[in-house]
Amino acid sequence: MPIYMAQIGEEYLVKKIGGLEETKHHLKNLGFVAGAQVSVVAVMNGNLIIQIKDARVAVSKELAGKIII
């Protein structure tokens, strides 16, 4: 399922990243790779704040739809 459907505070593993090659590369640079542990910290107006490694990253709902957990 896409990460925007995740429960806030629950930990998940990234299974795959979808989208165009440019999108995949951008998400990879942010740390979103298969096997990475992530959790949704907050949702605001459809946008998500995601905890990945030791950082929090804000992504749009559209971009979050490319992150499959």
Side-chain angles (χ1 to χ4, degrees), residues 38-58:
V38 296
S39 65
V40 177
V41 175
V43 179
M44 294 178 284
N45 298 323
N47 300 320
L48 287 82
I49 298 177
I50 302 171
Q51 178 81 34
I52 181 162
K53 299 184 182 178
D54 293 330
R56 290 184 177 186
V57 179

Side-chain angles (χ1 to χ4, degrees), residues 8-66:
I8 293 175
E10 293 290 320
E11 293 190 354
Y12 299 90
L13 290 178
V14 174
K15 292 190 178 177
K16 73 174 192 171
I17 303 296
L20 299 173
E21 209 49 49
E22 180 180 321
T23 303
K24 290 179 184 180
H25 183 71
H26 176 66
L27 288 170
K28 181 180 177 185
N29 285 340
L30 292 174
F32 294 98
V33 294
Q37 189 170 337
V38 296
S39 65
V40 177
V41 175
V43 179
M44 294 178 284
N45 298 323
N47 300 320
L48 287 82
I49 298 177
I50 302 171
Q51 178 81 34
I52 181 162
K53 299 184 182 178
D54 293 330
R56 290 184 177 186
V57 179
V59 296
S60 67
K61 185 173 182 179
E62 179 185 350
L63 198 56
K66 309 292 188 221

